[in-house]
Amino acid sequence: MFGLLLFSGMATAVFHSCGDGHLGDIEPWADFTMSYRTADGQAAAPPCLVMFTNATNTGGLSTTYSWTVNGVQIATSQDISYTFTSSGTHTVALRAINRNGSHYVEKSLMIPQLETNVMVTGITIHPSEVSIEAGKIISLTATVTPDNATNKDVIWSSFNTDMAIVDDMGVVTGIRAGMATIFATAADGSGVSSSKIISITFPDFEMAFIEGGSFLMGGTNPNYFPDELPPHQVTLNSFYMAKYQVIQAQWIALMGNNPSFRPGPNLPVENVSWNDIVGLSGSYVELSGIRYYEDGFIYKLNVTTGKGYRLPTEAEWEYAARGGNKSMGYLFSGSDNPDEVAWYISNSNFTTYPWGLKRPNELGVYDMSGNVWEWCQDWYGAYPSTPQTNPRGPETGMYRVSRGGAQNSYLRYLRVSCRNYDFPYFRSVVVGFRLVCDSAPVLNDCPSL
């Protein structure tokens, strides 16, 4: 900032960054005044440079000026300056001498105290509206006021770390579906803070339309197990099936925990029991003959989305794994070559893999052979020998069915007709699940509850 101490007529004095005011007239007949100001009208602080320079008066007379500060004459010259190095009230005097006499003015000048720490008074977080999917990130920025604040840094924090977290740079990661409050607090100790409510939404499932039809279910390929017999005719209505196994980011978004042995947001969730998925207590919704309780994943999912997701029946699972009415009759889901479509004991290095790295089957569904076993809704039991329409399996039982094989499975277990079963409370690093829903009028959209 620069301020000016001005003389009209005979001389001009220049004040730099020294406030705003008027020092008064020297003498009426001298025809000039002293004044000072700053460019933006705000008080400044020392060091404050004040100077005056020679000016030709109207009579063209030679003039000498003397500069006096606090009673001390510092110079007699036609070009002199003075720098204030301390705040407070100072007496400034200027004398102009020419053949017409000596002209004098004296004024008190207040040099303000130096403000070494301009505190933050307000914070605005951008963007104004924020919504992200669980598992995704978004960057926030913060603008502080005033512009000349000494320390413009902010400290980011989340009030709901189970819903969303934020790093030191304002990058927010959504964790669970719901609402989270993110704070930006001034780092200068002023206590000024601002908050932003962020909506974390549930990631959409990519669904494949499985057109209904009839197929021969059971051990129709070589090397079958006895419980795959007898092959029997099954007719199914159309439905939708998730293209991918449920991943850990989706589980965390609803359940707030990650039970998986091998953590990774895009890896299939595993180490989940049938009971964890379906639930055991509280309110419930019934879909395809199964009650889904409020402490289970699927109930929470359906409440959040308003849709009717569920586990596939064993018949739906096998029909989709075979390619539905687009089936090419493959041994594995999508190929006779397991390395094209499956993670299994020969190529997995005994670990699970993110969705969609292998080739999909005829319907565009991935990993139905290998990676992790997938829970179905049915009780395990012997197959009937008569034709079935939309079968749901036995009414009761001890074990629940799982299908598809896993990353530690041999080839025989990857076949589309292979059956597996475990207790409903069983958990394992090689067991996960995928979802289906009934057909709806809108393609690729599950019906509302």
Side-chain angles (χ1 to χ4, degrees):
M1 295 184 294
F2 292 95
L4 303 177
L5 179 57
L6 304 176
F7 291 82
S8 62
M10 294 180 63
T12 301
V14 182
F15 276 68
H16 291 268
S17 305
C18 294
D20 191 15
H22 179 67
L23 293 184
D25 297 333
I26 290 184
E27 292 291 346
W29 57 84
D31 193 29
F32 64 83
T33 61
M34 287 174 60
S35 65
Y36 66 97
R37 63 182 176 81
T38 59
D40 59 6
Q42 296 191 11
C48 177
L49 177 65
V50 181
M51 69 172 61
F52 68 91
T53 57
N54 186 35
T56 302
N57 58 36
T58 56
L61 303 176
S62 177
T63 304
T64 299
Y65 307 101
S66 63
W67 188 251
T68 302
V69 178
N70 298 332
V72 178
Q73 184 173 322
I74 60 172
T76 299
S77 174
Q78 291 186 338
D79 191 357
I80 195 66
S81 64
Y82 182 77
T83 300
F84 291 96
T85 58
S86 62
S87 60
T89 302
H90 299 276
T91 301
V92 179
L94 178 67
R95 183 180 296 277
I97 303 173
N98 58 28
R99 72 181 185 179
N100 288 329
S102 176
H103 311 289
Y104 178 84
V105 67
E106 182 178 295
K107 193 71 174 180
S108 292
L109 177 62
M110 180 64 186
I111 306 298
Q113 180 69 39
L114 176 65
E115 293 186 24
T116 57
N117 190 20
V118 179
M119 305 297 282
V120 171
T121 59
I123 299 174
T124 302
I125 300 175
H126 311 281
S128 58
E129 295 185 7
V130 183
S131 178
I132 59 173
E133 285 186 358
K136 301 294 180 64
I137 64 172
I138 189 171
S139 293
L140 302 180
T141 59
T143 302
V144 303
T145 53
D147 290 340
N148 65 334
T150 304
N151 183 354
K152 294 186 177 182
D153 293 337
V154 298
I155 300 170
W156 294 97
S157 61
S158 172
F159 183 74
N160 315 91
T161 54
D162 60 329
M163 294 290 183
I165 57 175
V166 60
D167 68 11
D168 294 340
M169 302 302 293
V171 178
V172 178
T173 302
I175 297 176
R176 292 183 60 192
M179 308 297 286
T181 303
I182 303 297
F183 288 92
T185 303
D188 64 355
S190 63
V192 176
S193 183
S194 181
S195 64
K196 180 70 62 179
I197 296 178
I198 295 179
S199 173
I200 301 99
T201 60
F202 188 83
D204 289 336
F205 287 104
E206 291 189 51
M207 307 297 287
F209 178 65
I210 316 298
E211 186 177 4
S214 297
F215 74 110
L216 195 60
M217 183 175 181
T220 57
N221 296 105
N223 207 22
Y224 54 77
F225 290 105
D227 65 353
E228 298 173 35
L229 301 177
H232 55 289
Q233 192 75 15
V234 171
T235 300
L236 296 174
N237 294 337
S238 298
F239 60 98
Y240 294 100
M241 173 171 275
K243 292 183 178 180
Y244 310 104
Q245 295 159 338
V246 174
I247 60 171
Q248 294 172 32
Q250 293 165 333
W251 182 275
I252 295 169
L254 291 176
M255 305 300 284
N257 61 67
N258 188 3
S260 304
F261 280 115
R262 296 186 176 94
N266 290 325
L267 295 178
V269 65
E270 24 86 357
N271 196 36
V272 289
S273 70
W274 192 92
N275 290 339
D276 295 330
I277 300 163
V278 174
L280 293 170
S281 62
S283 299
Y284 66 86
V285 58
E286 186 167 325
L287 298 167
S288 187
I290 297 292
R291 290 183 176 181
Y292 293 92
Y293 290 92
E294 65 178 326
D295 59 341
F297 174 86
I298 289 180
Y299 183 94
K300 295 179 186 295
L301 171 64
N302 290 344
V303 168
T304 300
T305 62
K307 304 297 184 180
Y309 294 104
R310 57 180 176 83
L311 286 175
T313 66
E314 187 177 15
E316 288 171 334
W317 192 98
E318 184 171 324
Y319 180 64
R322 289 179 178 273
N325 59 13
K326 298 180 181 179
S327 177
M328 302 295 292
Y330 294 129
L331 184 62
F332 311 109
S333 184
S335 179
D336 288 328
N337 179 357
D339 291 310
E340 292 182 342
V341 294
W343 297 108
Y344 66 112
I345 194 168
S346 295
N347 65 11
S348 70
N349 198 29
F350 291 96
T351 190
T352 50
Y353 288 84
W355 54 9
L357 296 182
K358 294 291 186 177
R359 198 177 79 182
N361 74 358
E362 299 94 314
L363 298 171
V365 182
Y366 294 79
D367 298 313
M368 295 197 77
S369 290
N371 219 15
V372 292
W373 291 94
E374 300 176 12
W375 286 112
C376 297
Q377 77 167 39
D378 303 41
W379 289 111
Y380 174 75
Y383 279 159
S385 58
T386 57
Q388 303 288 306
T389 299
N390 297 317
R392 298 176 180 176
E395 291 294 325
T396 60
M398 184 178 296
Y399 309 103
R400 293 290 182 177
V401 173
S402 60
R403 287 297 208 106
Q407 43 90 0
N408 65 344
S409 296
Y410 292 97
L411 290 180
R412 193 177 183 188
Y413 298 92
L414 305 181
R415 294 175 301 104
V416 292
S417 60
C418 180
R419 308 177 73 196
N420 190 32
Y421 56 91
D422 285 293
F423 291 109
Y425 54 80
F426 176 77
R427 297 185 181 95
S428 170
V429 67
V430 295
V431 181
F433 67 108
R434 78 173 67 229
L435 298 170
V436 299
C437 64
D438 294 322
S439 182
V442 180
L443 192 63
N444 294 327
D445 186 27
C446 294
S448 299
L449 289 174

